[in-house]
Amino acid sequence: MNRVLVVNSGSSSLKYAVVDADSGDTIADGIVERIGEEDGGVPDHAAALQAAFDELDDDMTGLVAVGHRVVHGGPDLYEPTLVDDAVVARIDELSPLAPLHNPPALLGIEVARRALPDLPHIAVFDTAFFHDLPPAAATYAIDRDLAAKWGIRRYGFHGTSHQYVSEQAAEFLGAPLDSLRQIVLHLGNGASASVIVGGRPVETSMGLTPMEGLVMGTRSGDLDPGIYAYLWRTAKMSVDDIESMLNRRSGMLGLGGHIDFRVVHRQIASGDAAAQLAYDVYIHRLRKYIGAYLAVLGTADVITFTAGVGENDAAVRRDALSGMTALGVELDEQLNADPRREARRISTDDSATTVLVIPTDEELAIARACVSLLTNRS
Ligand code: AMP
């Protein structure tokens, strides 16, 4: 039995799961929220981890490793990596590339290493899958010397999910992964799209940081970079304030006041014009990406929706793909409306491109990456 504790440590929350990497079963999982908040929350990440341990109790027995989700691995950290002091120092150095994500991940790693010193701790990077993006997709059209000096390229994120879901899609279709031309739409609070050909990533919507691309719960996605300079120079906002606004108070929240699509639909039904515009902007951006990615591919064998919105919101899926019959994409309204929480096809039999809904499981993918590292080492 290969049980792995998977830790996903954010700035104010710590998600955890004990996963059996062999069977794929989640033995137990949970989330400790409001870390560092004055009333009711736990004081710090060490206390959050302790709360997780208390909750897990007997489920902690028989662990073979602790897997840590780390958002940014920079140019050289991308394989699942056994954490030692040097790796911790390197992730710390990379913090400017992911200032909102890497510091809390490091806190999680440090408290978990102290609490479970006898287990191997393994960092699994969100950027890993996209490390080999073709140069034409990874390169920003800016001064090449500057880009090289500062490691500026499109890194891509949610890689664990894009890889897992594309493999699941092949399995569902009973087709070899290396024969498939895929588009994966990971639509959760964070959102990203990717093109995967023969199991290898060819394009993705997130960039140097997890801010580029689709409209997200609280992140803007694509922007004219001129907005940064304008807000700094004319609105006199600091760089930190601009970054925080674009990360935490933009996207669906900034436009309509809510990040949860269930609430957004209720607001729209009650005639809320801001919620309607937020939804329209979200869908418009998503359609632009789908169109661009169909053009990158020529023909797509499969488009897969995943994550909280992608798995659950039939209206988003319908509006993202409506009117694309001429492009070879046709949803079956009835299949699309089916709320089952399992891998399923939602396109018509005639649709040249198969459209799927596949639940993502980043924790299982991280657990499997850990076990495969340990197996290859021994
Ligand atoms: P994730 O980041 O993948 O956990 O996705 C979280 C988001 O999924 C939430 O903020 C909601 O917007 C969305 N979501 C979850 N459940 C539903 C649902 N039943 N219908 C529509 N959206 C949902």
Side-chain angles (χ1 to χ4, degrees):
M1 201 171 52
N2 280 308
R3 278 191 183 188
V4 177
L5 170 64
V6 179
V7 178
N8 183 353
S9 176
S11 56
S12 64
S13 71
L14 186 143
K15 283 195 222 166
Y16 59 91
V18 173
V19 179
D20 183 334
D22 301 330
S23 68
D25 292 339
T26 299
I27 311 297
D29 61 359
I31 179 167
V32 184
E33 289 178 296
R34 303 171 61 208
I35 300 172
E37 283 185 21
E38 297 269 302
D39 38 53
V42 293
D44 54 27
H45 282 75
L49 193 69
Q50 189 54 52
F53 288 171
D54 293 346
E55 201 60 42
L56 288 169
D57 199 17
D58 285 350
D59 296 324
M60 295 278 293
T61 47
L63 292 176
V64 297
V66 184
H68 296 271
R69 176 182 181 218
V70 181
V71 165
H72 217 308
D76 17 86
L77 284 178
Y78 49 94
E79 302 284 359
T81 302
L82 201 58
V83 175
D84 57 18
D85 292 344
V87 170
V88 167
R90 186 73 189 116
I91 296 172
D92 193 24
E93 279 168 28
L94 293 167
S95 284
L97 282 172
L100 303 176
H101 293 93
N102 274 20
L106 267 183
L107 276 175
I109 289 174
E110 281 173 0
V111 298
R113 281 178 85 203
R114 268 203 302 276
L116 301 168
D118 298 329
L119 284 174
H121 289 254
I122 296 164
V124 178
F125 298 95
D126 233 32
T127 42
F129 182 55
F130 295 116
H131 181 259
D132 297 326
L133 271 185
T139 306
Y140 288 108
I142 61 171
D143 181 310
R144 65 181 181 205
D145 297 331
L146 197 68
K149 178 173 178 201
W150 293 101
I152 297 174
R153 55 161 279 185
R154 180 173 286 110
Y155 287 93
F157 300 86
H158 293 140
T160 308
S161 177
H162 285 277
Q163 181 172 20
Y164 174 81
V165 166
S166 59
E167 290 167 0
Q168 293 296 113
E171 205 170 301
F172 181 87
L173 295 171
L177 183 62
D178 60 16
S179 73
L180 289 177
R181 306 167 71 75
Q182 307 198 39
I183 295 173
V184 176
L185 305 169
H186 175 110
L187 310 178
N189 279 331
S192 60
S194 69
V195 177
I196 299 167
V197 173
R200 303 301 313 156
V202 167
E203 238 310 348
T204 194
S205 59
M206 282 178 165
L208 174 75
T209 74
M211 290 171 71
E212 191 179 348
L214 301 172
V215 177
M216 311 184 208
T218 64
R219 281 172 254 166
S220 61
D222 289 341
L223 284 177
D224 178 348
I227 291 173
Y228 240 97
Y230 182 74
L231 287 174
W232 177 75
R233 189 180 298 120
T234 310
K236 308 286 183 218
M237 287 172 71
S238 70
V239 168
D240 285 347
D241 285 346
I242 299 169
E243 182 175 58
S244 170
M245 185 275 292
L246 294 175
N247 267 295
R248 301 181 203 270
R249 302 199 311 281
S250 296
M252 297 303 287
L253 181 71
L255 286 173
H258 295 280
I259 62 169
D260 190 319
F261 272 73
R262 288 162 288 197
V263 181
V264 174
H265 288 299
R266 282 204 296 276
Q267 302 286 98
I268 291 173
S270 70
D272 185 324
Q276 181 70 59
L277 180 62
Y279 184 79
D280 292 347
V281 173
Y282 181 95
I283 294 292
H284 181 73
R285 181 85 52 84
L286 185 53
R287 290 176 64 88
K288 282 209 306 194
Y289 268 90
I290 293 167
Y293 285 6
L294 285 171
V296 166
L297 276 174
T299 54
D301 298 309
V302 52
I303 298 177
T304 306
F305 287 90
T306 193
V309 180
E311 290 166 30
N312 295 299
D313 197 320
V316 165
R317 295 193 298 259
R318 179 198 63 211
D319 295 338
L321 296 179
S322 66
M324 293 192 189
T325 310
L327 297 173
V329 185
E330 190 174 59
L331 275 198
D332 180 310
E333 289 271 346
Q334 230 167 343
L335 293 177
N336 184 44
D338 181 346
R340 268 179 311 144
R341 303 189 61 105
E342 58 192 54
R344 61 191 195 278
R345 177 174 64 86
I346 57 170
S347 50
T348 62
D349 289 341
D350 292 338
S351 182
T353 300
T354 306
V355 185
L356 302 177
V357 176
I358 293 185
T360 192
D361 193 339
E362 289 168 285
E363 288 72 26
L364 174 59
I366 290 171
R368 287 193 171 148
C370 291
V371 169
S372 125
L373 172 71
L374 295 176
T375 313
N376 292 336
R377 228 169 38 119
S378 55

